[in-house]
Amino acid sequence: NAGVTQTPKFRVLKTGQSMTLLCAQDMNHEYMYWYRQDPGMGLRLIHYSVGEGTTAKGEVPDGYNVSRLKKQNFLLGLESAAPSQTSVYFCASSYSIWDRVRNEQFFGPGTRLTVL
Amino acid sequence: AQTVTQSQPEMSVQEAETVTLSCTYDTSESDYYLFWYKQPPSRQMILVIRQEAYKQQNATENRFSVNFQKAAKSFSLKISDSQLGDAAMYFCAYYNTDKLIFGTGTRLQVFP
């Protein structure tokens, strides 16, 4: 099993450009998440999904859109990138929180995005 | 809203010694989960230990153990017999109602 994978690993954008980050998991998890990590601020939740075809806003959703067309994939889109979106982006997946034994989140390796 | 606070930005420990990382949280819920994640320089987030709030017994995983004080809303991580490979950022996290809320992290240095 590959676990949680993210594509790409690094990317440099110019202000105003758009891009999509892809997250894939092969553990048949229902839940998937996108976080951003900035120095001194821990991980903050951008958007999440509790199942195929569903999405919900997290703590810092502005400037991002997501889609979950297939259970194993969760896409994060930046329509018009801004320097404030320079960050490391992590995807994660898990079983339902109500699965008391298996509800921990598994993380991908991260994507370092720089917006100039 | 739930919050997680890690008041120690940095900690250091000598190899083979014991260190405790602090975490407090705020919630009005009675059923939730708490986690400690480790993030080494590779950036990979690795689950260290988990605690279910309805369990009074403190979780233990080899050299890692927690001191869970539900009434005080405290969840500290103790690392015994510290090793050089334990050097990393450690994040405390609270999990309830679909969302995982992280603290700002504690950077642990381990000296030989």
Side-chain angles (χ1 to χ4, degrees):
Chain A
N1 287 352
V4 180
T5 58
Q6 293 181 228
T7 308
K9 289 185 170 49
F10 303 93
R11 186 71 185 269
V12 179
L13 290 178
K14 294 181 179 179
T15 297
Q17 287 185 317
S18 63
M19 77 163 295
T20 300
L21 281 67
L22 170 64
C23 176
Q25 53 92 6
D26 60 2
M27 295 174 281
N28 201 34
H29 286 164
E30 293 98 349
Y31 290 18
M32 296 188 76
Y33 307 82
W34 276 107
Y35 297 91
R36 60 177 289 173
Q37 183 178 27
D38 301 298
M41 300 191 74
L43 277 77
R44 293 183 292 168
L45 183 64
I46 304 171
H47 287 281
Y48 64 102
S49 168
V50 300
E52 181 178 324
T54 74
T55 62
K57 293 181 179 179
E59 182 185 359
V60 288
D62 294 342
Y64 306 95
N65 56 76
V66 289
S67 63
R68 183 107 181 260
L69 299 179
K70 294 182 179 181
K71 186 176 184 179
Q72 64 268 32
N73 295 338
F74 195 31
L75 278 64
L76 177 71
L78 286 73
E79 290 186 348
S80 179
S84 61
Q85 294 178 302
T86 294
S87 188
V88 178
Y89 292 85
F90 286 94
C91 177
S93 69
S94 72
Y95 290 107
S96 166
I97 184 176
W98 307 119
D99 185 326
R100 290 190 175 277
V101 177
R102 303 178 300 172
N103 62 10
E104 69 265 27
Q105 293 188 13
F106 293 82
F107 285 80
T111 295
R112 182 175 292 279
L113 175 66
T114 302
V115 182
L116 303 176
Chain B
Q2 294 91 355
T3 59
V4 177
T5 302
Q6 293 180 250
S7 58
Q8 305 156 316
E10 289 192 6
M11 292 283 285
S12 61
V13 64
Q14 201 140 21
E15 209 174 357
E17 297 296 310
T18 296
V19 64
T20 298
L21 308 184
S22 301
C23 174
T24 59
Y25 58 94
D26 187 25
T27 184
S28 59
E29 303 292 334
S30 59
D31 193 9
Y32 50 87
Y33 300 82
L34 296 164
F35 300 89
W36 279 97
Y37 278 90
K38 170 185 178 181
Q39 187 180 41
S42 67
R43 286 202 318 244
Q44 182 70 50
M45 295 288 286
I46 303 166
L47 178 66
V48 175
I49 199 165
R50 55 177 280 158
Q51 175 78 42
E52 297 164 69
Y54 70 91
K55 289 186 176 180
Q56 292 185 334
Q57 186 173 7
N58 289 327
T60 299
E61 288 286 342
N62 300 316
R63 299 183 293 107
F64 299 87
S65 61
V66 299
N67 183 2
F68 174 49
Q69 302 289 328
K70 191 173 184 179
K73 297 178 184 176
S74 170
F75 182 59
S76 60
L77 175 69
K78 185 171 82 170
I79 306 174
S80 304
D81 186 24
S82 297
Q83 301 175 359
L84 295 177
D86 295 334
M89 283 289 288
Y90 286 82
F91 292 96
C92 176
Y94 166 96
Y95 194 20
N96 172 267
T97 321
D98 302 334
K99 300 174 187 177
L100 194 62
I101 300 170
F102 286 88
T104 52
T106 296
R107 182 174 300 281
L108 178 66
Q109 294 182 305
V110 182
F111 295 103

